[in-house]
């Protein structure tokens, strides 16, 4: 069988030749003596048209086919200079690999994204989702390529962990204890001694802490894997299971971190627009008009940079327009982030030096004693896409901060060791993979860029 992609990319050798393709029926229409099947095999963005006549042995079977059926079609590829598509297949044989029924949920009409979410096992057979998930694949590759070309070591950090990297307590617990009969210790507390790991464990919210250990050995590393957050945020940008890319670089500070983040984003935008060209054209035409121009602008300009304090000055003047009023010390909400990047800067923005109270324990304290060397990258249409920081590399200062936050040193012994044995300046960031994909495709809801999304009250399929 030939991939439809191969025919589209270089049809010349196939003209007037017999080809066989396997794929699923997108649409079918027929008259008494002949008919057309539009068939797609998922290898290319475009489907291909097949013409058949009553000379087929199984004409009656083919006539009755429903949308969604799986077929192997054999026939001659002919040029059709006046038609919408430059060629079609004149079928000599149509083998029905698997028929479909008339209640097939995808018919030849526009289905809403909401509806398609209820059939996430079938939606990759539609143009939009075929494009989304091909770009998802190309984007993954682009990310690996970027880091591998720069000799970063790819580290597989654990999925099950005993720590809470972000300190936000938004973890899914992993346990083998029987919920109906939880063992208690003498003090009446849950006796985790009887649990599988002998202590509480959870799904990781970030691979960063383990990644730092490897950066202190390899100098530059990255992780790329699933992370989990039990945030009760039912928004279009939060998923309970999402993928994160977390590079970590040693002998580097916040500025090196921003340079890396900007280089990476530009690299992957360039790679994806070149290697998923048809898909990006599709998004530009049907999902988000102006997408391509916007991405081009990103490549041609430097990202803006401001401090949190400067951002608050800008935003507080506009408090009338916000639901959530801005004052120094507050966490920036999506409405503020989007205002900065869409109205003020009209391009990606790095916001640095946030108040320590709203950021994680591991961030390096600035000299002012009240802000930390944090950086968020905000982009139009989404808001925060990257969160990063320079890490606190001073053992005493880190211990001090952990004490303030009432964190147990015992639980983070390995992390403190990294400051004890050859501590070095280091920094890193986390790129939300799904948010990045939304940015590159113009898709508006995170549920539409994850194959089988997990969100609040939704863990179907
Ligand atoms: O800002 P966050 O929480 O940073 C960290 O986890 C750090 N440990 C990263 C690091 O410095 N190595 O998360 C990083 C990014 C966010 O900017 C966002 O893009 C994405 O992860 N993200 C989510 N994406 C989808 N659904 C969620 N619930 C997300 N939470 C964070
Ligand atoms: Mg963040």
């Amino acid at each position: 069988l030939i991939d439809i992609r191969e025919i589209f990319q270089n049809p010349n050798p196939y003209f007037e030749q017999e080809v066989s393709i396997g794929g699923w029926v997108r649409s079918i229409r027929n008259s008494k003596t002949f008919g057309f099947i539009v068939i797609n095999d998922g290898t290319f963005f475009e489907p291909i048209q097949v013409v058949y006549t009553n000379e087929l042995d199984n004409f009656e079977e083919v006539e009755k086919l429903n949308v969604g059926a799986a077929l192997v079609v054999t026939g001659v590829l002919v040029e059709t200079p006046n038609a919408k598509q430059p060629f079609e297949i004149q079928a000599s044989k149509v083998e029905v690999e698997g028929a479909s029924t008339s209640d097939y949920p995808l018919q030849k009409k526009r289905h809403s994204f909401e509806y398609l979410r209820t059939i996430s096992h079938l939606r990759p057979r539609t143009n939009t989702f075929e494009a989304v998930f091909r770009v998802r694949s190309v984007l993954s590759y682009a990310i690996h390529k970027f880091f591998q070309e720069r000799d970063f070591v790819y580290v597989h950090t654990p999925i099950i962990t005993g720590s809470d990297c972000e300190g936000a307590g938004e973890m899914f617990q992993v346990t083998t204890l029987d919920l109906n009969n939880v063992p208690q210790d003498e003090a009446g507390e849950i006796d985790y001694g009887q649990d599988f790991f002998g202590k509480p464990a959870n799904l990781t919210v970030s691979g960063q802490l383990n990644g730092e250990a490897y950066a202190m050995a390899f100098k530059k590393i990255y992780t790329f894997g699933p992370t989990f957050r039990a945030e009760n945020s039912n928004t279009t940008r939060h998923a309970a299971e999402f993928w994160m890319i977390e590079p970590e670089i040693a002998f580097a500070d916040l500025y090196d971190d921003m340079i890396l983040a900007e280089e990476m984003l530009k690299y992957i935008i360039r790679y994806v627009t070149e290697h998923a060209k048809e898909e990006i054209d599709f998004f530009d035409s049907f999902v988000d008009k102006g997408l391509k121009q916007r991405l081009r602008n990103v490549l041609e300009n430097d990202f803006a940079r401001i401090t949190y304090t400067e951002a608050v000055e800008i935003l507080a003047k506009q408090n009338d327009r916000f639901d959530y009023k801005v004052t120094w010390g507050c966490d920036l909400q999506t409405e503020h982030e989007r205002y900065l990047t869409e109205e003020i800067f009209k391009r990606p923005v790095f916001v640095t030096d946030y108040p320590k109270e709203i950021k994680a324990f591991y961030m390096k304290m600035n000299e002012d004693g009240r802000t930390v060397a944090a950086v968020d990258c905000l982009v139009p249409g989404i808001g925060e896409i990257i969160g990063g920081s320079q890490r606190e590399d001073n053992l005493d200062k880190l211990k001090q901060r952990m004490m303030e936050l009432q964190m147990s040193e015992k639980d983070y012994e390995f992390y403190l060791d990294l400051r004890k044995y050859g501590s070095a300046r280091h920094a890193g960031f986390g790129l939300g993979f799904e948010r990045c994909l939304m940015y590159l495709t113009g898709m508006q809801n995170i549920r539409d860029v994850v194959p089988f999304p997990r969100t609040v009250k939704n863990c179907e399929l």
Side-chain angles (χ1 to χ4, degrees):
L1 296 184
I2 298 172
D3 286 351
I4 290 180
R5 170 175 290 269
E6 223 172 295
I7 299 177
F8 269 93
Q9 284 181 336
N10 186 16
N12 286 335
Y14 297 109
F15 284 141
E16 302 306 322
Q17 303 292 313
E18 189 177 88
V19 296
S20 290
I21 57 165
W24 294 270
V25 175
R26 280 289 179 87
S27 69
I28 179 161
R29 64 197 158 91
N30 44 46
S31 66
K32 283 206 180 74
T33 54
F34 67 98
F36 300 96
I37 301 173
V38 173
I39 188 169
N40 179 289
D41 72 353
T43 62
F44 191 64
F45 192 67
E46 298 279 336
I48 197 165
Q49 174 160 281
V50 173
V51 197
Y52 64 95
T53 69
N54 56 4
E55 279 167 39
L56 285 184
D57 296 342
N58 58 346
F59 180 71
E60 279 169 19
E61 183 190 20
V62 172
E63 239 184 352
K64 292 199 200 76
L65 282 173
N66 286 304
V67 179
L71 308 179
V72 173
V73 173
T74 303
V76 174
L77 187 77
V78 294
E79 284 186 88
T80 51
N82 301 319
K84 196 172 131 227
Q85 277 200 348
F87 44 75
E88 65 186 20
I89 295 174
Q90 291 178 346
S92 52
K93 205 156 119 194
V94 175
E95 293 160 273
V96 182
E97 184 114 0
S100 178
T101 50
S102 60
D103 62 351
Y104 183 60
L106 295 171
Q107 294 299 325
K108 197 184 176 233
K109 62 166 201 165
R110 253 196 135 70
H111 295 292
S112 72
F113 290 162
E114 287 79 12
Y115 168 69
L116 292 171
R117 262 172 236 150
T118 67
I119 47 168
S120 46
H121 57 309
L122 296 173
R123 66 178 181 172
R125 300 187 194 184
T126 65
N127 278 354
T128 304
F129 288 93
E130 192 184 308
V132 167
F133 293 114
R134 186 171 295 280
V135 173
R136 189 173 167 116
S137 166
V138 172
L139 177 60
S140 311
Y141 183 70
I143 286 163
H144 281 296
K145 196 160 159 20
F146 173 82
F147 287 111
Q148 295 286 337
E149 281 173 1
R150 283 156 187 76
D151 291 324
F152 281 61
V153 170
Y154 177 33
V155 181
H156 294 130
T157 50
I159 303 285
I160 301 176
T161 160
S163 58
D164 176 9
C165 173
E166 295 305 303
E170 291 165 335
M171 300 171 303
F172 289 102
Q173 207 175 325
V174 175
T175 180
T176 50
L177 294 180
D178 176 0
L179 283 181
N180 297 314
N181 188 16
V182 181
Q184 296 187 340
D185 61 18
E186 281 149 20
E189 304 282 336
I190 298 173
D191 182 6
Y192 282 105
Q194 295 190 40
D195 202 350
F196 187 92
F197 295 109
K199 60 175 278 193
N202 52 273
L203 296 178
T204 187
V205 296
S206 157
Q208 179 194 320
L209 304 187
N210 305 84
E212 281 183 57
Y214 271 64
M216 286 299 150
F218 289 98
K219 187 160 166 271
K220 36 189 188 177
I221 64 100
Y222 70 107
T223 73
F224 186 178
T227 49
F228 308 86
R229 293 192 189 180
E231 283 162 298
N232 208 349
S233 322
N234 211 341
T235 77
T236 54
R237 308 170 321 124
H238 288 88
E241 178 177 307
F242 63 99
W243 284 56
M244 196 157 39
I245 296 93
E246 295 186 277
E248 192 72 31
I249 43 181
F251 304 98
D253 62 16
L254 194 67
Y255 295 92
D256 302 311
D257 207 28
M258 285 190 269
I259 291 167
L260 180 67
E262 182 166 342
E263 258 182 42
M264 178 199 67
L265 283 175
K266 287 180 170 170
Y267 180 98
I268 59 187
I269 289 172
R270 200 174 297 117
Y271 189 90
V272 168
T273 47
E274 282 168 13
H275 292 83
K277 205 180 151 306
E278 288 81 8
E279 286 79 5
I280 298 297
D281 285 344
F282 169 84
F283 290 118
D284 189 57
S285 312
F286 298 108
V287 174
D288 182 4
K289 293 206 166 52
L291 173 73
K292 273 166 59 174
Q293 185 55 46
R294 210 171 58 227
L295 294 176
R296 257 197 303 273
N297 286 346
V298 175
L299 295 181
E300 286 162 7
N301 293 292
D302 289 341
F303 291 12
R305 295 182 183 189
I306 52 166
T307 64
Y308 168 90
T309 302
E310 289 163 348
V312 167
E313 274 166 26
I314 296 171
L315 294 166
K317 287 192 194 122
Q318 302 291 330
N319 264 338
D320 287 351
R321 64 166 72 218
F322 300 130
D323 293 335
Y324 186 98
K325 310 297 172 204
V326 177
T327 52
W328 199 94
C330 77
D331 208 354
L332 300 185
Q333 308 296 313
T334 304
E335 56 175 339
H336 312 132
E337 294 175 341
R338 292 190 56 174
Y339 180 78
L340 283 174
T341 180
E342 289 164 27
E343 305 294 329
I344 303 288
F345 293 101
K346 301 187 186 344
R347 60 197 157 115
V349 192
F350 287 120
V351 181
T352 60
D353 305 296
Y354 285 76
K356 65 176 180 187
E357 283 79 15
I358 56 171
K359 288 293 182 185
F361 76 98
Y362 51 71
M363 297 189 181
K364 189 169 181 62
M365 193 69 71
N366 286 330
E367 274 168 14
D368 62 14
R370 55 181 209 149
T371 62
V372 287
V375 60
D376 277 7
C377 181
L378 318 178
V379 296
I382 299 193
E384 179 191 340
I385 191 174
I386 282 177
S389 61
Q390 184 171 343
R391 320 307 187 187
E392 184 55 78
D393 48 48
N394 180 291
L395 182 63
D396 294 330
K397 286 186 186 162
L398 183 60
K399 279 186 176 173
Q400 174 65 30
R401 186 69 186 133
M402 288 173 63
M403 211 158 69
E404 283 167 21
L405 296 168
Q406 300 182 335
M407 295 169 64
S408 122
E409 275 187 29
K410 207 176 117 268
D411 290 348
Y412 294 87
E413 228 158 5
F414 88 94
Y415 194 65
L416 294 169
D417 272 358
L418 305 175
R419 278 73 183 161
K420 196 168 143 195
Y421 307 127
S423 190
R425 227 159 358 116
H426 63 293
F429 63 81
L431 168 68
F433 183 62
E434 283 74 15
R435 291 197 191 165
C436 185
L437 189 54
M438 289 166 74
Y439 185 48
L440 286 174
T441 57
M443 295 296 286
Q444 295 286 312
N445 195 314
I446 198 162
R447 293 163 183 79
D448 297 331
V449 298
V450 184
F452 299 98
R454 275 89 181 85
T455 50
V456 181
K457 299 282 180 289
N458 173 38
C459 187
E460 303 304 318
L461 276 65

